[in-house]
């Protein structure tokens, strides 16, 4: 593939959520992406380490890995294809949960986090596209933490994640607000709650309730 600003712009406009940006804005943003090369097996993102950039998979493939806290054994959750955006979930949650490993020689386009945040602030529709969706790694991580806290050893976490993902809805809690009643609560931090027809997950309190 071609590594020019024009090629980046065409790719971003056809393959990614950034296609929602006005053409002139996307053209300017494309100049700020830098191509980073990864060897097969090299880590693009590692859980526990907050990224300073977001990455758009431009060429090659990568595996998204989850770690069941009960076993610490890595599990492949997704095979990421060109157009996938990595690192945004860590930013949305404020929790570095993503691990992505290059499955082949891979090129990612890196954008500084400050530039990404600026775009989300200026374009609410784009912000909603990221904030109001979930990913397999988020659901896997939340469920794994809850099962570990409850000392529940049963349940194949990858399978449960796949079953729940289609029904997940994202709801945002802000400081001092209670999810169920909307009244002031004794919390002073941001949170997100994931709600499906089967399970409610909150990583403010990490509660798992069977409906």
């Amino acid at each position: 593939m071609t590594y020019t600003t024009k090629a980046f712009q065409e790719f971003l406009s056809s393959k990614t959520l950034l296609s929602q940006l006005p053409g002139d804005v996307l053209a300017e943003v494309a100049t700020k992406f830098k191509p980073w090369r990864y060897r097969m097996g090299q880590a693009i993102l590692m859980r526990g380490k907050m990224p300073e950039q977001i990455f758009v998979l431009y060429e090659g493939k990568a595996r998204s890995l989850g770690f069941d806290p009960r076993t610490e054994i890595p599990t492949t959750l997704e095979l990421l294809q060109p157009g996938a955006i990595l690192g945004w979930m860590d930013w949305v949650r404020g929790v570095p949960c993503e691990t992505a490993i290059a499955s082949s020689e891979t090129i990612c386009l890196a954008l500084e986090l400050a530039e990404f945040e600026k775009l989300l602030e200026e374009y609410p529709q784009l912000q909603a596209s990221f904030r109001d969706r979930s990913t397999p790694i988020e659901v896997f991580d939340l469920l794994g933490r809850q099962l570990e806290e409850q000392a529940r050893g049963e349940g194949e976490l990858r399978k449960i994640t796949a079953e729940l993902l289609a029904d997940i809805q994202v709801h945002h809690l802000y400081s001092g607000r209670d999810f169920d009643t909307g009244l002031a609560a004794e919390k002073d931090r941001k949170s997100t709650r994931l709600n499906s027809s089967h399970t409610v997950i909150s990583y403010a309190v990490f509660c798992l309730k069977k409906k």
Side-chain angles (χ1 to χ4, degrees):
M1 296 181 74
T2 306
Y3 307 128
T4 65
T5 297
K6 181 174 176 56
F8 295 166
Q9 180 184 351
E10 292 175 350
F11 178 84
L12 294 170
S13 66
S14 63
K15 297 286 189 179
T16 74
L17 289 173
L18 298 178
S19 62
Q20 301 172 56
L21 293 171
D24 59 334
V25 175
L26 188 58
E28 181 182 355
V29 170
T31 67
K32 300 176 181 180
F33 276 92
K34 306 299 181 186
W36 289 17
R37 186 182 301 273
Y38 295 89
R39 301 182 306 276
M40 183 174 67
Q42 188 174 1
I44 302 169
L45 293 173
M46 287 295 293
R47 68 172 183 149
K49 183 178 181 180
M50 188 66 73
E52 297 179 356
Q53 299 85 14
I54 65 156
F55 300 91
V56 178
L57 190 55
Y58 184 63
E59 196 176 288
K61 298 178 181 179
R63 290 184 299 139
S64 173
L65 300 180
F67 290 81
D68 188 332
R70 300 169 299 177
T71 63
E72 286 300 318
I73 296 175
T75 300
T76 298
L77 301 178
E78 291 183 279
L79 183 61
L80 303 171
Q81 306 288 339
I85 301 179
L86 294 73
W88 70 268
M89 178 56 68
D90 290 350
W91 175 81
V92 167
R93 288 185 64 194
V95 177
C97 62
E98 294 180 76
T99 297
I101 307 294
S103 296
S104 61
E105 178 110 347
T106 298
I107 302 293
C108 288
L109 305 182
L111 179 69
E112 293 297 320
L113 190 56
E115 294 292 342
F116 179 64
E117 290 177 340
K118 182 179 177 181
L119 287 175
L120 297 190
E121 289 173 1
E122 294 181 357
Y123 297 94
Q125 183 177 354
L126 180 65
Q127 182 180 131
S129 295
F130 285 97
R131 283 191 177 276
D132 296 343
R133 63 196 293 258
S134 188
T135 62
I137 183 56
E138 180 181 28
V139 178
F140 185 94
D141 187 63
L142 292 171
L143 285 171
R145 289 171 183 243
Q146 181 58 38
L147 293 176
E148 181 186 35
E149 287 187 1
Q150 294 183 348
R152 292 171 58 180
E154 77 280 6
E156 206 285 291
L157 200 48
R158 179 179 175 180
K159 181 180 178 181
I160 298 172
T161 297
E163 291 174 348
L164 290 176
L165 192 61
D167 294 326
I168 288 293
Q169 297 175 338
V170 178
H171 300 271
H172 298 281
L173 281 172
Y174 297 94
S175 299
R177 306 298 292 180
D178 179 77
F179 176 79
D180 294 312
T181 66
L183 301 176
E186 293 181 4
K187 306 186 186 75
D188 190 26
R189 56 181 172 174
K190 287 186 178 180
S191 174
T192 298
R193 196 166 186 121
L194 301 180
N195 182 16
S196 81
S197 60
H198 300 96
T199 309
V200 174
I201 314 164
S202 167
Y203 58 74
V205 291
F206 291 103
C207 62
L208 181 64
K209 301 177 182 177
K210 290 296 182 180
K211 293 248 182 180

